[in-house]
Amino acid sequence: MAANIFGRYVWLIEQFMRYGRLTYEEVNSLWRRSGLSYGEEDYLPLRTFHNHRKAIFDIFDVNIACDIKGGYKYYIDGIEDLEKDNLRLWLIDSYTAMNQIKADSKLKGRILFENVPSGHKWLNTITEAMRNNQTLHITHHGFGKPEAWSFDIEPYYLKVVKRRWYVLARNPYYSERNSRKNKEKGGNRPENVYMVYALDRILECQLTEKTFAFDKNFDIDAYFQGCCGIIHSDKEPIKVVVKAYDNGADYLRTLPLHESQRELDISDDEATYFEMQVCPTYDLYQSLLAQADQIEVIEPESVRKQMRNFAKNLMSYYKEGKND
């Protein structure tokens, strides 16, 4: 029972997210069909159900309220806030899938997962440092670098992009160097330098005795405004319009390139147009190129030009007779 208790909490949240309002009897009906009782119980005792509600609020900050006037139906109070919280949704979705796979022996060997880089091995150390505002000493070997380097970082945020874990951190060395140069030579170099490190490129990661003052005014949303991945840009986002052909429109509708993406009301029997406010970083171009020949950048010309350059490079790679 104890080993499965956390799974029960997540299962209950998922049921209310899926069905909206449920009576206690309806919850039990779903419970019997779930296969999660493992033969122990074919129903959730009322006291257990209420204890689970309290634990769910304490652990996930999810309030399963009861509408007495509406027929004693239970529901998630503030579901809109939960649906905007990507981290909580990711945890709930992941544990829900694990619950169901574990409960249903018929699914064994029939669900395949992509391999994820092993950077998660440092998650416990990094989150502990974030919780206590402790400086980390890491050994990092970046792509394209001839050797690994060891230095201190002040971890601020964790982010997952395309199956990779990243930590955004203040780099004390570069921050202090900029501050010193500003005093010696003048200038307006940023005195707080923030950098992003892929966890799977970290070879060693250790807590230090040093602590740092977390800047509560640091705005992570503003830092990544207009970004399509992990690459930060100091420039303002620009309007990018793309034209999607064939099934490309369906892919963009179901998996937008950026949260600002919106479909334009343009009459065209052969294509669909989308607009977004983004920074033209390498992450954006990777996302555009991943759509192959199903989309075309319409504007601005600077982005079209860069896409042409990528297309020319691809043509040179695949020119007939090149490797003959």
Side-chain angles (χ1 to χ4, degrees):
M1 178 73 71
N4 190 37
I5 196 70
F6 193 82
R8 290 186 174 190
Y9 300 157
V10 176
W11 179 86
L12 275 171
I13 296 173
E14 199 270 338
Q15 302 314 300
F16 288 107
M17 291 183 66
R18 178 187 297 182
Y19 297 106
R21 292 172 177 254
L22 295 167
T23 64
Y24 166 67
E25 291 74 16
E26 289 171 332
V27 169
N28 265 318
S29 177
L30 293 169
W31 174 254
R32 283 190 290 271
R33 300 203 307 265
S34 71
L36 293 176
S37 63
Y38 300 101
E40 297 173 5
E41 299 172 338
D42 61 358
Y43 73 100
L44 280 174
L46 185 59
R47 177 179 292 184
T48 301
F49 173 65
H50 290 313
N51 288 339
H52 285 2
R53 288 175 57 207
K54 182 179 184 303
I56 287 169
F57 180 77
D58 292 340
I59 297 172
F60 297 98
D61 195 24
V62 173
N63 181 27
I64 298 178
C66 180
D67 183 0
I68 298 176
K69 296 181 179 180
Y72 283 89
K73 289 202 170 186
Y74 296 88
Y75 65 97
I76 294 179
D77 186 22
I79 185 67
E80 300 83 4
D81 294 333
L82 176 59
E83 290 174 342
K84 294 176 183 177
D85 192 327
N86 291 334
L87 176 59
R88 282 195 293 175
L89 288 178
W90 176 71
L91 288 171
I92 292 168
D93 288 345
S94 299
Y95 213 100
T96 297
M98 187 174 70
N99 263 348
Q100 201 57 50
I101 295 168
K102 186 177 180 181
D104 196 337
S105 59
K106 294 180 181 179
L107 297 180
K108 186 177 181 180
R110 295 177 59 187
I111 298 179
L112 308 178
F113 291 90
E114 289 184 295
N115 181 40
V116 178
S118 60
H120 62 267
K121 66 185 292 186
W122 307 120
L123 282 178
N124 284 341
T125 303
I126 294 174
T127 53
E128 181 179 348
M130 292 168 61
R131 185 165 52 251
N132 300 319
N133 290 339
Q134 282 181 269
T135 299
L136 288 169
H137 187 74
I138 68 171
T139 300
H140 182 266
H141 194 172
F143 288 129
K145 303 294 184 180
E147 58 184 336
W149 294 88
S150 297
F151 49 88
D152 289 347
I153 62 170
E154 299 170 357
Y156 267 53
Y157 291 89
L158 283 164
K159 187 174 184 179
V160 180
V161 177
K162 296 178 181 177
R163 300 187 300 117
R164 288 185 187 275
W165 282 94
Y166 296 86
V167 57
L168 183 144
R170 180 180 179 273
N171 187 298
Y173 172 79
Y174 289 115
S175 298
E176 293 165 7
R177 187 187 67 173
N178 283 2
S179 178
R180 185 173 62 254
K181 287 187 175 181
N182 287 340
K183 292 179 181 179
E184 295 174 351
K185 302 179 181 180
N188 58 350
R189 300 174 183 85
E191 296 191 2
N192 287 306
V193 179
Y194 299 95
M195 304 183 74
V196 176
Y197 305 95
L199 267 62
D200 60 301
R201 305 309 301 164
I202 296 178
L203 307 181
E204 296 291 339
C205 182
Q206 297 176 337
L207 292 165
T208 72
E209 297 298 323
K210 292 181 288 185
T211 60
F212 64 93
F214 176 78
D215 183 1
K216 296 182 179 179
N217 294 320
F218 182 85
D219 190 338
I220 187 65
D221 294 324
Y223 185 84
F224 283 117
Q225 183 182 10
C227 298
C228 291
I230 202 65
I231 300 176
H232 165 72
S233 175
D234 290 322
K235 297 181 179 179
E236 290 294 319
I238 62 175
K239 182 177 74 173
V240 174
V241 178
V242 299
K243 184 177 182 180
Y245 300 96
D246 301 323
N247 295 326
D250 292 329
Y251 283 102
L252 291 184
R253 289 189 187 105
T254 55
L255 193 62
L257 296 178
H258 187 260
E259 59 187 11
S260 66
Q261 177 185 298
R262 68 183 186 92
E263 189 170 337
L264 300 178
D265 186 16
I266 297 178
S267 179
D268 189 331
D269 294 335
E270 297 182 352
T272 306
Y273 294 77
F274 296 87
E275 175 187 302
M276 62 200 81
Q277 297 289 329
V278 290
C279 297
T281 63
Y282 184 64
D283 283 332
L284 171 64
Y285 291 114
Q286 279 189 317
S287 298
L288 293 171
L289 290 167
Q291 305 299 319
D293 60 347
Q294 291 191 319
I295 68 170
E296 174 189 356
V297 175
I298 302 301
E299 60 175 281
E301 179 56 33
S302 58
V303 177
R304 278 182 63 87
K305 181 179 179 180
Q306 186 59 55
M307 291 296 288
R308 281 196 296 269
N309 291 335
F310 283 120
K312 289 177 181 178
N313 289 337
L314 285 171
M315 287 296 293
S316 68
Y317 299 157
Y318 296 103
K319 186 176 180 181
E320 289 187 24
K322 178 179 177 179
N323 294 324
D324 293 344

